[in-house]
Amino acid sequence: MAIMKERFSERYLEFWEVIRQVPEGKVATYGQIAALAGYPGNARQVGYSLHASPPEIDIPWHRIINAQGKISLPKESGHYDLQRSLLEKEGVIFKNERVNLRKYRWQP
DNA sequence: GCAGTGACTAGTA
DNA sequence: ATACTAGCCACTG
């Protein structure tokens, strides 16, 4: 499988390094992660890196949402409900499928 | 190599 | 509020 390559690009590793710093009960956006990792404008790659990330890396992938405060995963996939329940378990409140970013956004 | 796709975003209308 | 656009770049066929 393509995702099981031994090495990932340095860019992906940088993304995951930043994501690892997002604390419990807080969220960050894809664009925010990209900018903090030193790749502003590469929000899409952040999403792709998570899609391709192997389970053995231990990162809070569920704390990453889009700039509208919504979950970017399709509801049909089942991953949507997983991400939402993981966040709610940490105290993040959803209102109309949306998180209040002004309240829950991680500020490094 | 080229075109399409995607866990994106900021801008404009 | 919605809709469309350009920019973004790794991956796939």
Side-chain angles (χ1 to χ4, degrees):
Chain A
M1 303 205 265
I3 66 170
M4 287 308 282
K5 290 181 198 164
E6 290 231 341
R7 279 186 63 80
F8 291 90
S9 70
E10 171 134 359
R11 178 174 298 200
Y12 283 19
L13 300 177
E14 296 272 4
F15 291 157
W16 298 339
E17 192 68 30
V18 176
I19 292 169
R20 231 187 296 271
Q21 299 173 45
V22 181
E24 187 176 321
K26 290 287 180 182
V27 299
T29 68
Y30 297 95
Q32 186 180 358
I33 298 299
L36 287 171
Y39 300 92
N42 287 35
R44 277 197 112 112
Q45 303 321 115
V46 174
Y48 203 97
S49 77
L50 289 175
H51 183 79
S53 66
E56 51 263 32
I57 66 169
D58 194 19
I59 57 175
W61 60 270
H62 58 283
R63 297 183 188 134
I64 312 304
I65 59 180
N66 65 31
Q68 291 113 53
K70 298 201 281 192
I71 290 173
S72 285
L73 292 164
K75 297 190 187 67
E76 312 84 49
S77 73
H79 292 295
Y80 176 93
D81 290 322
L82 173 61
Q83 180 170 12
R84 176 165 173 160
S85 58
L86 284 171
L87 285 174
E88 288 177 329
K89 197 161 55 180
E90 297 182 351
V92 177
I93 307 300
F94 280 78
K95 201 164 298 181
N96 288 16
E97 321 239 313
R98 189 182 307 218
V99 170
N100 185 341
L101 280 177
R102 293 210 292 186
K103 180 171 180 181
Y104 293 106
R105 187 200 286 269
W106 171 51
Q107 315 273 19

